[in-house]
Amino acid sequence: MGKLAHSSPRPFLPSLGVVMTSPLPIISGLSELSSGYDAVLSDVWGVIHNGVSAFPEAVDALVSYRKAGGRVVLITNAPRPSPPIVAMLDRLGVPRDAYDAIVSSGDATRAMISKYRGKAIHHVGPPTEDDALYEGFDLRRTGAEEAEVVVVTDLDTDDDTPEMYRERAKLWLQRRLPMICANPDRVVEHGDKIIYCGGALGDLYAAMGGMVLMAGKPYQPIYEEAYRLAEEAAGQSLDKSRVLAIGDSVRTDATGAAQFGIDILFITGSIHAAELDAFGKPDPQAIADLISPSRARVAGFLPRLTW
C-alpha cells in the first residue's frame, strides 16, 4: 500500500485522551479506510466469527485487504495458545490467506503461568479444552484448598454467571490466592446468545478484594506482540498512525486501541447489537457516546465487517 500524504482526509479522529462527543462517520466497508492503513489488528470472536460459524463478509474483507497490500494480525482474548486457534479457524472455514499471524491472550497467559512451574494451580473453566495452556509447565491441577494460584480461562459452562462463583471465590480470597485471568472479555457472542467470559469472574473477584492479573486486551503486552508481528509481516517498521484496530468491545478493543495509540473501526453488531440497534437504525451519536469513555480514536463503525 502506498503511503498517503499526511494531509489525507481521515474524518473524526480526535486526539487521544479527548472524550469524543461528535457522531461517528458511517462507512460502507473496510475498503473506504484501507488506503490509510498499512496494517490491521483485528479481533476474532465477534468480528470474524460468532463461536459457531464464520462471517463470510468479514473473511472476504480481510482477504481483500491483504490482496491490496495490507497486513493482518488477529489479536484475540481466546485463553489458548495460537496453534489451537488456527485449528479452530480452519474448522470454521476461515482461510489462512485472511491473516498473516495470530497473537492470543493464551500466549500472554503462558508467560504469567510459567512462574508456577511444578506447582499446584486451581483451574476454572472447561476441564480439558485449555490443556495446551499448561503444556510443558509440569503443573498439578488441584482444589483451591492446596493451590497457589487460580487460573481462569472461562466459566465452567456457557450457562454460568459470575455470581454463581461467589462462594467459591470466598475461599480463594481467604487463602489470598492471586487470580490469573486468561480471558479479560466479560461477555462474548456465541451463536445467537451472549455468554459470560472469564473477565466477568475476574471483575467479581477484584470487587471482593482479590488480586487479579489480566492477560490479553486491553493490556499492552498483547498489542506490542501484535504490532511486532505486523511489522514482521510487512518487512518494515510501521507508523502507529497507519495501524487500525478492528473490534466489537468497548472495554477491550476500544480501550486497548486507545491505550496503544492506534485508531479503531468499531463493529456494532455483536455484543452491543441490541443496545445500538445495529441492524436497524443505529444512531451514530449513541455509538459515539458508548465508545467515548475509552477515549478511542474511531475511524468509523459497521454492524459487521465488510469490504
Side-chain angles (χ1 to χ4, degrees):
M1 288 183 166
K3 295 266 187 184
L4 294 182
H6 182 71
S7 60
S8 297
R10 305 235 315 267
F12 295 93
L13 300 182
S15 299
L16 186 64
V18 176
V19 176
M20 178 175 44
T21 57
S22 301
L24 300 182
I26 301 172
I27 65 170
S28 59
L30 180 58
S31 60
E32 191 172 325
L33 302 173
S34 61
S35 64
Y37 298 96
D38 299 316
V40 156
L41 310 183
S42 178
D43 183 28
V44 177
W45 203 312
V47 174
I48 299 173
H49 69 77
N50 64 3
V52 175
S53 57
F55 302 131
E57 297 86 354
V59 171
D60 290 345
L62 295 181
V63 170
S64 297
Y65 179 72
R66 290 188 72 241
K67 285 181 178 178
R71 301 296 92 197
V72 174
V73 176
L74 304 184
I75 178 170
T76 173
N77 275 351
R80 287 168 290 285
S82 299
I85 297 169
V86 172
M88 180 194 68
L89 293 176
D90 289 344
R91 290 193 301 271
L92 291 176
V94 179
R96 297 195 182 186
D97 61 354
Y99 56 93
D100 294 280
I102 297 178
V103 60
S104 73
S105 178
D107 295 328
T109 301
R110 280 181 59 81
M112 294 181 181
I113 294 173
S114 64
K115 66 179 289 186
Y116 294 96
R117 188 183 303 270
K119 297 181 179 180
I121 67 161
H122 179 58
H123 173 88
V124 178
T128 60
E129 184 176 297
D130 305 305
D131 283 349
L133 195 64
Y134 304 120
E135 286 181 0
F137 292 143
D138 191 29
L139 297 167
R140 293 182 297 114
R141 297 196 199 186
T142 69
E145 295 81 2
E146 60 175 301
E148 296 190 29
V149 64
V150 178
V151 180
V152 176
T153 57
D154 268 311
L155 304 192
D156 291 335
T157 76
D158 289 350
D159 295 324
D160 285 1
T161 67
E163 194 60 34
M164 295 167 61
Y165 292 74
R166 184 174 291 276
E167 289 304 312
R168 292 169 61 181
K170 288 179 181 178
L171 174 60
W172 309 341
L173 191 63
Q174 180 183 350
R175 297 199 61 234
R176 298 184 179 180
L177 296 180
M179 174 189 287
I180 295 174
C181 185
N183 181 356
D185 286 346
R186 284 176 175 157
V187 295
V188 74
E189 182 182 23
H190 190 265
D192 59 356
K193 298 195 306 181
I194 300 295
I195 62 173
Y196 284 104
C197 296
L201 182 52
D203 287 349
L204 173 70
Y205 193 49
M208 293 172 67
M211 183 175 76
V212 180
L213 305 173
M214 292 278 194
K217 300 176 292 182
Y219 304 99
Q220 293 294 291
I222 196 169
Y223 283 93
E224 290 167 358
E225 177 63 8
Y227 191 70
R228 185 191 70 79
L229 291 171
E231 290 190 319
E232 184 177 281
Q236 63 180 0
S237 297
L238 297 175
D239 189 317
K240 281 188 178 181
S241 69
R242 295 186 58 84
V243 176
L244 177 69
I246 303 176
D248 67 318
S249 166
V250 175
R251 181 189 189 228
T252 57
D253 297 308
T255 300
Q259 292 177 350
F260 194 61
I262 60 177
D263 302 341
I264 186 168
L265 170 59
F266 194 74
I267 303 302
T268 59
S270 180
I271 60 175
H272 296 293
E275 65 188 295
L276 296 177
D277 193 18
F279 299 103
K281 295 182 179 179
D283 178 0
Q285 183 63 61
I287 298 170
D289 291 344
L290 176 72
I291 300 173
S292 64
S294 72
R295 301 186 181 274
R297 300 195 306 254
V298 184
F301 70 90
L302 291 168
R304 293 285 187 208
L305 179 60
T306 60
W307 181 242

